[in-house]
PDB file of all heavy atoms in Angstrom:
ATOM      1  N   SER A  23      13.210 -27.674   2.252  1.00  0.00           N
ATOM      2  CA  SER A  23      14.591 -27.400   2.608  1.00  0.00           C
ATOM      3  C   SER A  23      15.421 -27.340   1.331  1.00  0.00           C
ATOM      4  O   SER A  23      15.393 -28.258   0.517  1.00  0.00           O
ATOM      5  CB  SER A  23      15.121 -28.520   3.519  1.00  0.00           C
ATOM      6  OG  SER A  23      16.466 -28.298   3.851  1.00  0.00           O
ATOM      7  N   GLN A  72      10.281 -27.353  28.359  1.00  0.00           N
ATOM      8  CA  GLN A  72       9.840 -26.394  29.373  1.00  0.00           C
ATOM      9  C   GLN A  72       9.087 -25.240  28.715  1.00  0.00           C
ATOM     10  O   GLN A  72       8.063 -24.779  29.230  1.00  0.00           O
ATOM     11  CB  GLN A  72      11.045 -25.859  30.148  1.00  0.00           C
ATOM     12  CG  GLN A  72      10.681 -24.848  31.222  1.00  0.00           C
ATOM     13  CD  GLN A  72      11.904 -24.256  31.895  1.00  0.00           C
ATOM     14  OE1 GLN A  72      13.023 -24.718  31.716  1.00  0.00           O
ATOM     15  NE2 GLN A  72      11.697 -23.194  32.672  1.00  0.00           N
ATOM     16  N   ASN A  87      14.105 -35.108  13.299  1.00  0.00           N
ATOM     17  CA  ASN A  87      14.603 -35.443  14.639  1.00  0.00           C
ATOM     18  C   ASN A  87      14.927 -34.241  15.525  1.00  0.00           C
ATOM     19  O   ASN A  87      15.551 -34.405  16.579  1.00  0.00           O
ATOM     20  CB  ASN A  87      15.828 -36.367  14.563  1.00  0.00           C
ATOM     21  CG  ASN A  87      15.528 -37.669  13.853  1.00  0.00           C
ATOM     22  OD1 ASN A  87      14.445 -38.235  14.016  1.00  0.00           O
ATOM     23  ND2 ASN A  87      16.463 -38.142  13.045  1.00  0.00           N
ATOM     24  N   LYS A 105       5.341  -3.610  12.984  1.00  0.00           N
ATOM     25  CA  LYS A 105       6.198  -4.392  12.098  1.00  0.00           C
ATOM     26  C   LYS A 105       5.422  -5.573  11.522  1.00  0.00           C
ATOM     27  O   LYS A 105       4.607  -6.197  12.212  1.00  0.00           O
ATOM     28  CB  LYS A 105       7.408  -4.937  12.871  1.00  0.00           C
ATOM     29  CG  LYS A 105       8.393  -3.875  13.325  1.00  0.00           C
ATOM     30  CD  LYS A 105       9.330  -3.489  12.217  1.00  0.00           C
ATOM     31  CE  LYS A 105      10.444  -2.586  12.713  1.00  0.00           C
ATOM     32  NZ  LYS A 105      11.378  -2.195  11.637  1.00  0.00           N
ATOM     33  N   LEU A 127      -0.934 -14.350   6.562  1.00  0.00           N
ATOM     34  CA  LEU A 127      -0.671 -14.601   5.141  1.00  0.00           C
ATOM     35  C   LEU A 127       0.310 -15.758   5.030  1.00  0.00           C
ATOM     36  O   LEU A 127       1.417 -15.696   5.571  1.00  0.00           O
ATOM     37  CB  LEU A 127      -0.083 -13.346   4.499  1.00  0.00           C
ATOM     38  CG  LEU A 127       0.386 -13.458   3.042  1.00  0.00           C
ATOM     39  CD1 LEU A 127      -0.791 -13.746   2.113  1.00  0.00           C
ATOM     40  CD2 LEU A 127       1.107 -12.187   2.621  1.00  0.00           C
ATOM     41  N   ALA A 136      12.226 -30.055  -9.216  1.00  0.00           N
ATOM     42  CA  ALA A 136      12.721 -30.979  -8.194  1.00  0.00           C
ATOM     43  C   ALA A 136      14.220 -31.237  -8.356  1.00  0.00           C
ATOM     44  O   ALA A 136      14.951 -31.364  -7.365  1.00  0.00           O
ATOM     45  CB  ALA A 136      11.944 -32.298  -8.267  1.00  0.00           C
ATOM     46  N   ARG A 142      20.615 -27.898  -5.192  1.00  0.00           N
ATOM     47  CA  ARG A 142      20.881 -26.906  -4.152  1.00  0.00           C
ATOM     48  C   ARG A 142      21.249 -27.580  -2.834  1.00  0.00           C
ATOM     49  O   ARG A 142      22.146 -27.112  -2.122  1.00  0.00           O
ATOM     50  CB  ARG A 142      19.662 -26.003  -3.960  1.00  0.00           C
ATOM     51  CG  ARG A 142      19.405 -25.076  -5.139  1.00  0.00           C
ATOM     52  CD  ARG A 142      18.152 -24.225  -4.905  1.00  0.00           C
ATOM     53  NE  ARG A 142      17.809 -23.431  -6.079  1.00  0.00           N
ATOM     54  CZ  ARG A 142      16.760 -22.628  -6.161  1.00  0.00           C
ATOM     55  NH1 ARG A 142      15.932 -22.503  -5.124  1.00  0.00           N
ATOM     56  NH2 ARG A 142      16.515 -21.934  -7.266  1.00  0.00           N
ATOM     57  N   LEU A 143      20.544 -28.652  -2.489  1.00  0.00           N
ATOM     58  CA  LEU A 143      20.850 -29.355  -1.241  1.00  0.00           C
ATOM     59  C   LEU A 143      22.261 -29.924  -1.256  1.00  0.00           C
ATOM     60  O   LEU A 143      23.007 -29.803  -0.280  1.00  0.00           O
ATOM     61  CB  LEU A 143      19.828 -30.473  -1.004  1.00  0.00           C
ATOM     62  CG  LEU A 143      18.429 -30.037  -0.564  1.00  0.00           C
ATOM     63  CD1 LEU A 143      17.469 -31.221  -0.599  1.00  0.00           C
ATOM     64  CD2 LEU A 143      18.472 -29.434   0.840  1.00  0.00           C
ATOM     65  N   ASP A 169      -1.454 -26.845  -0.873  1.00  0.00           N
ATOM     66  CA  ASP A 169      -2.723 -26.189  -1.208  1.00  0.00           C
ATOM     67  C   ASP A 169      -3.407 -25.568   0.008  1.00  0.00           C
ATOM     68  O   ASP A 169      -4.469 -24.969  -0.113  1.00  0.00           O
ATOM     69  CB  ASP A 169      -3.671 -27.147  -1.931  1.00  0.00           C
ATOM     70  CG  ASP A 169      -3.902 -28.453  -1.189  1.00  0.00           C
ATOM     71  OD1 ASP A 169      -3.353 -28.607  -0.079  1.00  0.00           O
ATOM     72  OD2 ASP A 169      -4.613 -29.319  -1.722  1.00  0.00           O
TER      73      ASP A 169
END
Side-chain angles (χ1 to χ4, degrees):
S23 179
Q72 180 185 349
N87 301 322
K105 292 278 188 180
L127 174 64
R142 291 178 186 179
L143 286 170
D169 53 2

